[in-house]
Amino acid sequence: MKMSFRWYGTGNDSVTLSQIKQIPGVEEIVWALHNKQPGEIWEIDEIAEVKKELDEYGLGMEVVESVNVHDDIKIGLDTRDQYIDNYIQTLRNLSQFGVKVVCYNFMPIFDWTRTDLFHPLPDGSTALFYEKNKIKDDPKEMADYILRETKGYTMPGWEPERMEQLSMLFEKYKDVDKETLWENLKYFLEKLMPVCHECGIKMAIHPDDPPWDIFGLPRLIVDEESVTRFLTMVDDPYNCLTLCSGSLGANPNNCVADIIRKHCDRIAFMHIRNVKHYENGDFSEVSHRDQDGDTGILEIVRALHDNGFDGYVRPDHGRHIWNEKCRPGYGLYDRALGIMYLLGCFDMLDRLNG
Ligand code: DNO
């Protein structure tokens, strides 16, 4: 297992590489070229710049999150082949720098969705929160809220340029039902797999967050059944998961540890975070400590450990604590605490079994 930390790049993140370097156990930076639009090729010289920065701190760049998938691929338009070719070129370029895992999602239009980015918790910190009743039919209000609250930082999937085109995007997706989306995902992955073998890069899909349909848009990777369907649909060791405990764990019927026990060999990347459920369907993100939420963090770590997980882990979102001003969910302090908790669990299991 390799511990990693997501970083948005110089000038685009409140956290610095020198701070990350001081968190015990972090070997890899989870990175991306955040200025790139879906469908654009990531050029060699742009990737080389990131490498130069990370090399200075002795931090690796083996995991990319995310190379985003162009909507035309998800919708299945004729133009998709050109965008798939570009994606393939990006994979080839990334492989020259030793990238091993590419995280992506196949969610139509929106990436992860929350209704409150700074919800107060009883201990005085704030965290990301989802209030079911606030997700109405019209996503415009949500989009405006998110753009306002991210305070200058763009949130992946909610970039202002995309949000300006919301009605056009909804129109393009109007005939895309769940089965069509599955077909388009299969088409995309089948084109990519030979290149992934050649380049040694695993494609690791991120589950849909929250794991249910929103705004009338279909969502695919939502539970154990759909994860199994996904892995068998393209049954290839390079077709993998970014298993996000917080995304799947938002549905109280999902047991993330069970999914790990069943599919550990196909998990390339773990996002570990904890969620607390409310009876009315709302949920709040909480600290990584097992007792603070309902996700079963200890069981998750145990399942990874017992099944010999050898992929990458990152603490997913953290709370905002000690008055930190940061990207929603992506501060330094609580994610660093999360790492220490998770490494404590992994180290203890190693010691007990060693
Ligand atoms: C949220 C992240 C997601 C993830 C994408 C993968 O914090 O986990 O935005 O990066 O869904 O493409």
Side-chain angles (χ1 to χ4, degrees), residues 162-198:
R162 272 177 77 73
M163 293 305 107
E164 276 165 21
Q165 300 172 357
L166 263 191
S167 41
M168 192 263 282
L169 279 169
F170 267 85
E171 180 60 25
K172 280 173 96 177
Y173 272 97
K174 76 176 186 323
D175 296 326
V176 181
D177 60 14
K178 230 173 235 204
E179 285 309 311
T180 313
L181 199 58
W182 276 115
E183 271 309 304
N184 296 342
L185 175 56
K186 184 164 186 259
Y187 181 92
F188 170 65
L189 286 170
E190 282 178 346
K191 296 262 180 197
L192 255 48
M193 282 303 111
V195 184
C196 289
H197 278 259
E198 212 181 285

mmCIF file of all heavy atoms in Angstrom, residues 162-198:
data_model
loop_
_atom_site.group_PDB
_atom_site.id
_atom_site.type_symbol
_atom_site.label_atom_id
_atom_site.label_comp_id
_atom_site.label_asym_id
_atom_site.label_seq_id
_atom_site.Cartn_x
_atom_site.Cartn_y
_atom_site.Cartn_z
ATOM 1 N N ARG A 162 -18.454 25.348 -17.648
ATOM 2 C CA ARG A 162 -19.414 24.251 -17.836
ATOM 3 C C ARG A 162 -20.791 24.651 -17.339
ATOM 4 O O ARG A 162 -21.809 24.355 -17.954
ATOM 5 C CB ARG A 162 -18.955 23.015 -17.048
ATOM 6 C CG ARG A 162 -18.040 22.101 -17.791
ATOM 7 C CD ARG A 162 -17.611 20.976 -16.891
ATOM 8 N NE ARG A 162 -18.627 19.951 -16.706
ATOM 9 C CZ ARG A 162 -18.980 19.061 -17.628
ATOM 10 N NH1 ARG A 162 -18.409 19.094 -18.816
ATOM 11 N NH2 ARG A 162 -19.896 18.152 -17.382
ATOM 12 N N MET A 163 -20.803 25.325 -16.191
ATOM 13 C CA MET A 163 -22.090 25.671 -15.592
ATOM 14 C C MET A 163 -22.875 26.653 -16.470
ATOM 15 O O MET A 163 -24.085 26.666 -16.477
ATOM 16 C CB MET A 163 -21.903 26.238 -14.180
ATOM 17 C CG MET A 163 -21.381 25.206 -13.192
ATOM 18 S SD MET A 163 -22.390 23.698 -13.089
ATOM 19 C CE MET A 163 -21.397 22.475 -13.930
ATOM 20 N N GLU A 164 -22.127 27.460 -17.252
ATOM 21 C CA GLU A 164 -22.809 28.378 -18.163
ATOM 22 C C GLU A 164 -23.551 27.615 -19.262
ATOM 23 O O GLU A 164 -24.465 28.131 -19.885
ATOM 24 C CB GLU A 164 -21.787 29.308 -18.829
ATOM 25 C CG GLU A 164 -21.454 30.506 -17.970
ATOM 26 C CD GLU A 164 -20.201 31.215 -18.466
ATOM 27 O OE1 GLU A 164 -19.829 31.044 -19.639
ATOM 28 O OE2 GLU A 164 -19.596 31.928 -17.640
ATOM 29 N N GLN A 165 -23.092 26.371 -19.493
ATOM 30 C CA GLN A 165 -23.694 25.613 -20.606
ATOM 31 C C GLN A 165 -24.673 24.554 -20.114
ATOM 32 O O GLN A 165 -24.977 23.602 -20.833
ATOM 33 C CB GLN A 165 -22.591 24.910 -21.382
ATOM 34 C CG GLN A 165 -21.590 25.862 -21.964
ATOM 35 C CD GLN A 165 -20.404 25.106 -22.548
ATOM 36 O OE1 GLN A 165 -20.309 23.886 -22.463
ATOM 37 N NE2 GLN A 165 -19.492 25.838 -23.142
ATOM 38 N N LEU A 166 -25.154 24.737 -18.865
ATOM 39 C CA LEU A 166 -25.959 23.675 -18.265
ATOM 40 C C LEU A 166 -27.141 23.222 -19.127
ATOM 41 O O LEU A 166 -27.331 22.028 -19.356
ATOM 42 C CB LEU A 166 -26.507 24.136 -16.910
ATOM 43 C CG LEU A 166 -25.723 23.697 -15.686
ATOM 44 C CD1 LEU A 166 -26.510 23.995 -14.438
ATOM 45 C CD2 LEU A 166 -25.374 22.218 -15.757
ATOM 46 N N SER A 167 -27.941 24.189 -19.625
ATOM 47 C CA SER A 167 -29.154 23.754 -20.331
ATOM 48 C C SER A 167 -28.787 23.032 -21.626
ATOM 49 O O SER A 167 -29.417 22.046 -22.011
ATOM 50 C CB SER A 167 -30.123 24.902 -20.578
ATOM 51 O OG SER A 167 -29.409 26.014 -20.961
ATOM 52 N N MET A 168 -27.708 23.504 -22.265
ATOM 53 C CA MET A 168 -27.258 22.827 -23.491
ATOM 54 C C MET A 168 -26.807 21.393 -23.163
ATOM 55 O O MET A 168 -27.138 20.445 -23.868
ATOM 56 C CB MET A 168 -26.125 23.659 -24.088
ATOM 57 C CG MET A 168 -25.714 23.298 -25.471
ATOM 58 S SD MET A 168 -24.308 22.227 -25.406
ATOM 59 C CE MET A 168 -22.992 23.404 -25.063
ATOM 60 N N LEU A 169 -26.089 21.245 -22.039
ATOM 61 C CA LEU A 169 -25.617 19.911 -21.661
ATOM 62 C C LEU A 169 -26.798 18.980 -21.360
ATOM 63 O O LEU A 169 -26.833 17.828 -21.791
ATOM 64 C CB LEU A 169 -24.712 20.010 -20.424
ATOM 65 C CG LEU A 169 -23.264 20.419 -20.701
ATOM 66 C CD1 LEU A 169 -22.534 20.760 -19.404
ATOM 67 C CD2 LEU A 169 -22.519 19.299 -21.430
ATOM 68 N N PHE A 170 -27.787 19.493 -20.632
ATOM 69 C CA PHE A 170 -28.961 18.657 -20.324
ATOM 70 C C PHE A 170 -29.669 18.226 -21.605
ATOM 71 O O PHE A 170 -30.116 17.098 -21.739
ATOM 72 C CB PHE A 170 -29.925 19.405 -19.396
ATOM 73 C CG PHE A 170 -29.665 19.094 -17.944
ATOM 74 C CD1 PHE A 170 -28.715 19.798 -17.235
ATOM 75 C CD2 PHE A 170 -30.340 18.062 -17.304
ATOM 76 C CE1 PHE A 170 -28.439 19.494 -15.905
ATOM 77 C CE2 PHE A 170 -30.075 17.744 -15.973
ATOM 78 C CZ PHE A 170 -29.123 18.465 -15.265
ATOM 79 N N GLU A 171 -29.734 19.132 -22.565
ATOM 80 C CA GLU A 171 -30.378 18.827 -23.846
ATOM 81 C C GLU A 171 -29.610 17.679 -24.540
ATOM 82 O O GLU A 171 -30.193 16.731 -25.057
ATOM 83 C CB GLU A 171 -30.360 20.119 -24.687
ATOM 84 C CG GLU A 171 -30.982 20.033 -26.057
ATOM 85 C CD GLU A 171 -32.458 19.650 -26.037
ATOM 86 O OE1 GLU A 171 -33.133 19.891 -25.010
ATOM 87 O OE2 GLU A 171 -32.922 19.068 -27.055
ATOM 88 N N LYS A 172 -28.270 17.747 -24.499
ATOM 89 C CA LYS A 172 -27.461 16.716 -25.161
ATOM 90 C C LYS A 172 -27.651 15.338 -24.515
ATOM 91 O O LYS A 172 -27.520 14.310 -25.153
ATOM 92 C CB LYS A 172 -25.968 17.089 -25.098
ATOM 93 C CG LYS A 172 -25.554 18.118 -26.146
ATOM 94 C CD LYS A 172 -24.129 18.584 -25.939
ATOM 95 C CE LYS A 172 -23.129 17.832 -26.797
ATOM 96 N NZ LYS A 172 -21.742 18.353 -26.635
ATOM 97 N N TYR A 173 -27.924 15.335 -23.209
ATOM 98 C CA TYR A 173 -28.058 14.065 -22.492
ATOM 99 C C TYR A 173 -29.484 13.521 -22.498
ATOM 100 O O TYR A 173 -29.742 12.483 -21.914
ATOM 101 C CB TYR A 173 -27.615 14.230 -21.027
ATOM 102 C CG TYR A 173 -26.131 14.008 -20.806
ATOM 103 C CD1 TYR A 173 -25.254 15.079 -20.750
ATOM 104 C CD2 TYR A 173 -25.608 12.726 -20.656
ATOM 105 C CE1 TYR A 173 -23.884 14.885 -20.541
ATOM 106 C CE2 TYR A 173 -24.245 12.518 -20.442
ATOM 107 C CZ TYR A 173 -23.393 13.596 -20.387
ATOM 108 O OH TYR A 173 -22.045 13.395 -20.179
ATOM 109 N N LYS A 174 -30.414 14.229 -23.171
ATOM 110 C CA LYS A 174 -31.825 13.879 -22.930
ATOM 111 C C LYS A 174 -32.192 12.449 -23.352
ATOM 112 O O LYS A 174 -33.070 11.852 -22.757
ATOM 113 C CB LYS A 174 -32.771 14.932 -23.507
ATOM 114 C CG LYS A 174 -32.970 14.918 -24.999
ATOM 115 C CD LYS A 174 -34.015 15.971 -25.354
ATOM 116 C CE LYS A 174 -34.415 15.984 -26.801
ATOM 117 N NZ LYS A 174 -33.415 15.733 -27.808
ATOM 118 N N ASP A 175 -31.489 11.872 -24.344
ATOM 119 C CA ASP A 175 -31.824 10.500 -24.754
ATOM 120 C C ASP A 175 -30.879 9.461 -24.156
ATOM 121 O O ASP A 175 -30.892 8.297 -24.549
ATOM 122 C CB ASP A 175 -31.783 10.389 -26.286
ATOM 123 C CG ASP A 175 -32.837 11.272 -26.913
ATOM 124 O OD1 ASP A 175 -33.920 11.413 -26.303
ATOM 125 O OD2 ASP A 175 -32.561 11.843 -27.988
ATOM 126 N N VAL A 176 -30.049 9.884 -23.215
ATOM 127 C CA VAL A 176 -29.078 8.928 -22.641
ATOM 128 C C VAL A 176 -29.675 8.301 -21.379
ATOM 129 O O VAL A 176 -29.715 8.932 -20.324
ATOM 130 C CB VAL A 176 -27.734 9.628 -22.315
ATOM 131 C CG1 VAL A 176 -26.733 8.634 -21.751
ATOM 132 C CG2 VAL A 176 -27.180 10.308 -23.546
ATOM 133 N N ASP A 177 -30.139 7.072 -21.525
ATOM 134 C CA ASP A 177 -30.641 6.389 -20.325
ATOM 135 C C ASP A 177 -29.517 5.531 -19.754
ATOM 136 O O ASP A 177 -28.398 5.506 -20.275
ATOM 137 C CB ASP A 177 -31.905 5.575 -20.639
ATOM 138 C CG ASP A 177 -31.635 4.523 -21.700
ATOM 139 O OD1 ASP A 177 -30.440 4.234 -21.990
ATOM 140 O OD2 ASP A 177 -32.600 3.972 -22.259
ATOM 141 N N LYS A 178 -29.819 4.817 -18.687
ATOM 142 C CA LYS A 178 -28.777 4.060 -17.991
ATOM 143 C C LYS A 178 -28.085 3.048 -18.908
ATOM 144 O O LYS A 178 -26.865 2.940 -18.932
ATOM 145 C CB LYS A 178 -29.402 3.333 -16.803
ATOM 146 C CG LYS A 178 -28.636 3.576 -15.537
ATOM 147 C CD LYS A 178 -29.292 3.034 -14.323
ATOM 148 C CE LYS A 178 -29.424 4.200 -13.384
ATOM 149 N NZ LYS A 178 -29.517 4.020 -12.024
ATOM 150 N N GLU A 179 -28.885 2.306 -19.697
ATOM 151 C CA GLU A 179 -28.283 1.266 -20.542
ATOM 152 C C GLU A 179 -27.383 1.877 -21.611
ATOM 153 O O GLU A 179 -26.329 1.337 -21.936
ATOM 154 C CB GLU A 179 -29.366 0.378 -21.167
ATOM 155 C CG GLU A 179 -29.980 -0.608 -20.174
ATOM 156 C CD GLU A 179 -28.933 -1.440 -19.393
ATOM 157 O OE1 GLU A 179 -28.015 -1.999 -20.033
ATOM 158 O OE2 GLU A 179 -29.023 -1.505 -18.159
ATOM 159 N N THR A 180 -27.806 3.006 -22.146
ATOM 160 C CA THR A 180 -26.967 3.675 -23.158
ATOM 161 C C THR A 180 -25.647 4.110 -22.535
ATOM 162 O O THR A 180 -24.563 3.972 -23.130
ATOM 163 C CB THR A 180 -27.708 4.923 -23.711
ATOM 164 O OG1 THR A 180 -29.030 4.548 -24.025
ATOM 165 C CG2 THR A 180 -27.004 5.517 -24.896
ATOM 166 N N LEU A 181 -25.736 4.612 -21.311
ATOM 167 C CA LEU A 181 -24.519 5.055 -20.632
ATOM 168 C C LEU A 181 -23.576 3.877 -20.375
ATOM 169 O O LEU A 181 -22.360 3.977 -20.579
ATOM 170 C CB LEU A 181 -24.921 5.741 -19.317
ATOM 171 C CG LEU A 181 -23.910 6.665 -18.664
ATOM 172 C CD1 LEU A 181 -23.490 7.807 -19.580
ATOM 173 C CD2 LEU A 181 -24.485 7.254 -17.361
ATOM 174 N N TRP A 182 -24.140 2.720 -19.969
ATOM 175 C CA TRP A 182 -23.312 1.509 -19.802
ATOM 176 C C TRP A 182 -22.619 1.149 -21.115
ATOM 177 O O TRP A 182 -21.437 0.840 -21.148
ATOM 178 C CB TRP A 182 -24.171 0.308 -19.363
ATOM 179 C CG TRP A 182 -24.445 0.185 -17.894
ATOM 180 C CD1 TRP A 182 -25.663 0.286 -17.291
ATOM 181 C CD2 TRP A 182 -23.511 -0.114 -16.842
ATOM 182 N NE1 TRP A 182 -25.546 0.090 -15.930
ATOM 183 C CE2 TRP A 182 -24.237 -0.170 -15.632
ATOM 184 C CE3 TRP A 182 -22.134 -0.337 -16.804
ATOM 185 C CZ2 TRP A 182 -23.635 -0.435 -14.399
ATOM 186 C CZ3 TRP A 182 -21.531 -0.601 -15.573
ATOM 187 C CH2 TRP A 182 -22.277 -0.646 -14.393
ATOM 188 N N GLU A 183 -23.382 1.167 -22.209
ATOM 189 C CA GLU A 183 -22.820 0.835 -23.529
ATOM 190 C C GLU A 183 -21.667 1.765 -23.876
ATOM 191 O O GLU A 183 -20.634 1.340 -24.391
ATOM 192 C CB GLU A 183 -23.913 0.998 -24.613
ATOM 193 C CG GLU A 183 -24.739 -0.241 -24.862
ATOM 194 C CD GLU A 183 -23.841 -1.458 -25.100
ATOM 195 O OE1 GLU A 183 -22.995 -1.385 -26.012
ATOM 196 O OE2 GLU A 183 -23.967 -2.456 -24.352
ATOM 197 N N ASN A 184 -21.870 3.062 -23.602
ATOM 198 C CA ASN A 184 -20.847 4.052 -23.972
ATOM 199 C C ASN A 184 -19.594 3.909 -23.113
ATOM 200 O O ASN A 184 -18.471 4.134 -23.575
ATOM 201 C CB ASN A 184 -21.422 5.468 -23.876
ATOM 202 C CG ASN A 184 -22.548 5.665 -24.883
ATOM 203 O OD1 ASN A 184 -22.670 4.893 -25.844
ATOM 204 N ND2 ASN A 184 -23.386 6.671 -24.663
ATOM 205 N N LEU A 185 -19.801 3.492 -21.873
ATOM 206 C CA LEU A 185 -18.657 3.253 -20.986
ATOM 207 C C LEU A 185 -17.853 2.050 -21.505
ATOM 208 O O LEU A 185 -16.624 2.069 -21.560
ATOM 209 C CB LEU A 185 -19.169 3.016 -19.555
ATOM 210 C CG LEU A 185 -18.152 2.628 -18.491
ATOM 211 C CD1 LEU A 185 -17.016 3.653 -18.396
ATOM 212 C CD2 LEU A 185 -18.831 2.504 -17.109
ATOM 213 N N LYS A 186 -18.573 1.014 -21.921
ATOM 214 C CA LYS A 186 -17.922 -0.190 -22.435
ATOM 215 C C LYS A 186 -17.108 0.140 -23.698
ATOM 216 O O LYS A 186 -15.953 -0.266 -23.839
ATOM 217 C CB LYS A 186 -19.021 -1.219 -22.744
ATOM 218 C CG LYS A 186 -18.532 -2.551 -23.202
ATOM 219 C CD LYS A 186 -19.661 -3.581 -23.103
ATOM 220 C CE LYS A 186 -19.179 -4.961 -23.420
ATOM 221 N NZ LYS A 186 -19.495 -5.422 -24.761
ATOM 222 N N TYR A 187 -17.722 0.885 -24.588
ATOM 223 C CA TYR A 187 -17.073 1.274 -25.844
ATOM 224 C C TYR A 187 -15.752 1.994 -25.554
ATOM 225 O O TYR A 187 -14.700 1.690 -26.112
ATOM 226 C CB TYR A 187 -18.033 2.182 -26.617
ATOM 227 C CG TYR A 187 -17.541 2.655 -27.955
ATOM 228 C CD1 TYR A 187 -17.848 1.936 -29.121
ATOM 229 C CD2 TYR A 187 -16.794 3.822 -28.088
ATOM 230 C CE1 TYR A 187 -17.403 2.379 -30.365
ATOM 231 C CE2 TYR A 187 -16.347 4.271 -29.315
ATOM 232 C CZ TYR A 187 -16.659 3.545 -30.449
ATOM 233 O OH TYR A 187 -16.222 3.986 -31.676
ATOM 234 N N PHE A 188 -15.836 2.945 -24.625
ATOM 235 C CA PHE A 188 -14.664 3.746 -24.236
ATOM 236 C C PHE A 188 -13.557 2.845 -23.685
ATOM 237 O O PHE A 188 -12.403 2.895 -24.116
ATOM 238 C CB PHE A 188 -15.149 4.764 -23.197
ATOM 239 C CG PHE A 188 -14.082 5.544 -22.479
ATOM 240 C CD1 PHE A 188 -13.248 6.434 -23.147
ATOM 241 C CD2 PHE A 188 -13.938 5.438 -21.090
ATOM 242 C CE1 PHE A 188 -12.291 7.170 -22.464
ATOM 243 C CE2 PHE A 188 -12.987 6.178 -20.398
ATOM 244 C CZ PHE A 188 -12.158 7.039 -21.086
ATOM 245 N N LEU A 189 -13.921 1.984 -22.744
ATOM 246 C CA LEU A 189 -12.905 1.150 -22.083
ATOM 247 C C LEU A 189 -12.293 0.128 -23.031
ATOM 248 O O LEU A 189 -11.089 -0.140 -22.979
ATOM 249 C CB LEU A 189 -13.518 0.445 -20.867
ATOM 250 C CG LEU A 189 -13.757 1.378 -19.674
ATOM 251 C CD1 LEU A 189 -14.588 0.694 -18.609
ATOM 252 C CD2 LEU A 189 -12.428 1.855 -19.084
ATOM 253 N N GLU A 190 -13.122 -0.421 -23.916
ATOM 254 C CA GLU A 190 -12.568 -1.424 -24.845
ATOM 255 C C GLU A 190 -11.538 -0.811 -25.781
ATOM 256 O O GLU A 190 -10.585 -1.458 -26.187
ATOM 257 C CB GLU A 190 -13.702 -2.119 -25.601
ATOM 258 C CG GLU A 190 -14.345 -3.154 -24.690
ATOM 259 C CD GLU A 190 -15.522 -3.886 -25.291
ATOM 260 O OE1 GLU A 190 -16.036 -3.424 -26.332
ATOM 261 O OE2 GLU A 190 -15.922 -4.909 -24.700
ATOM 262 N N LYS A 191 -11.736 0.446 -26.134
ATOM 263 C CA LYS A 191 -10.736 1.125 -26.978
ATOM 264 C C LYS A 191 -9.449 1.372 -26.193
ATOM 265 O O LYS A 191 -8.355 1.393 -26.750
ATOM 266 C CB LYS A 191 -11.259 2.488 -27.444
ATOM 267 C CG LYS A 191 -12.451 2.427 -28.334
ATOM 268 C CD LYS A 191 -12.005 2.536 -29.779
ATOM 269 C CE LYS A 191 -13.241 2.473 -30.649
ATOM 270 N NZ LYS A 191 -13.022 2.181 -32.014
ATOM 271 N N LEU A 192 -9.618 1.617 -24.879
ATOM 272 C CA LEU A 192 -8.449 1.993 -24.071
ATOM 273 C C LEU A 192 -7.600 0.810 -23.618
ATOM 274 O O LEU A 192 -6.385 0.932 -23.448
ATOM 275 C CB LEU A 192 -8.940 2.739 -22.807
ATOM 276 C CG LEU A 192 -8.755 4.253 -22.764
ATOM 277 C CD1 LEU A 192 -9.230 4.912 -24.039
ATOM 278 C CD2 LEU A 192 -9.445 4.851 -21.557
ATOM 279 N N MET A 193 -8.228 -0.340 -23.385
ATOM 280 C CA MET A 193 -7.523 -1.438 -22.718
ATOM 281 C C MET A 193 -6.196 -1.854 -23.381
ATOM 282 O O MET A 193 -5.191 -2.007 -22.688
ATOM 283 C CB MET A 193 -8.445 -2.654 -22.526
ATOM 284 C CG MET A 193 -9.426 -2.519 -21.363
ATOM 285 S SD MET A 193 -8.625 -2.210 -19.761
ATOM 286 C CE MET A 193 -9.093 -0.555 -19.419
ATOM 287 N N PRO A 194 -6.157 -2.014 -24.717
ATOM 288 C CA PRO A 194 -4.859 -2.410 -25.308
ATOM 289 C C PRO A 194 -3.759 -1.401 -25.002
ATOM 290 O O PRO A 194 -2.609 -1.774 -24.734
ATOM 291 C CB PRO A 194 -5.153 -2.445 -26.813
ATOM 292 C CG PRO A 194 -6.647 -2.520 -26.936
ATOM 293 C CD PRO A 194 -7.222 -1.899 -25.718
ATOM 294 N N VAL A 195 -4.118 -0.129 -25.001
ATOM 295 C CA VAL A 195 -3.121 0.918 -24.727
ATOM 296 C C VAL A 195 -2.703 0.861 -23.256
ATOM 297 O O VAL A 195 -1.539 1.070 -22.917
ATOM 298 C CB VAL A 195 -3.719 2.312 -25.050
ATOM 299 C CG1 VAL A 195 -2.677 3.393 -24.873
ATOM 300 C CG2 VAL A 195 -4.319 2.323 -26.427
ATOM 301 N N CYS A 196 -3.662 0.574 -22.383
ATOM 302 C CA CYS A 196 -3.341 0.478 -20.952
ATOM 303 C C CYS A 196 -2.331 -0.648 -20.712
ATOM 304 O O CYS A 196 -1.383 -0.486 -19.940
ATOM 305 C CB CYS A 196 -4.600 0.221 -20.132
ATOM 306 S SG CYS A 196 -5.658 1.662 -20.074
ATOM 307 N N HIS A 197 -2.519 -1.771 -21.392
ATOM 308 C CA HIS A 197 -1.561 -2.886 -21.260
ATOM 309 C C HIS A 197 -0.185 -2.446 -21.724
ATOM 310 O O HIS A 197 0.819 -2.693 -21.062
ATOM 311 C CB HIS A 197 -2.024 -4.083 -22.100
ATOM 312 C CG HIS A 197 -3.063 -4.904 -21.400
ATOM 313 N ND1 HIS A 197 -2.781 -6.088 -20.760
ATOM 314 C CD2 HIS A 197 -4.386 -4.692 -21.209
ATOM 315 C CE1 HIS A 197 -3.882 -6.576 -20.222
ATOM 316 N NE2 HIS A 197 -4.882 -5.759 -20.492
ATOM 317 N N GLU A 198 -0.180 -1.803 -22.856
ATOM 318 C CA GLU A 198 1.084 -1.341 -23.449
ATOM 319 C C GLU A 198 1.800 -0.358 -22.514
ATOM 320 O O GLU A 198 3.008 -0.405 -22.342
ATOM 321 C CB GLU A 198 0.696 -0.599 -24.726
ATOM 322 C CG GLU A 198 1.615 -0.627 -25.876
ATOM 323 C CD GLU A 198 0.949 0.215 -26.962
ATOM 324 O OE1 GLU A 198 -0.020 -0.264 -27.597
ATOM 325 O OE2 GLU A 198 1.386 1.361 -27.132
#
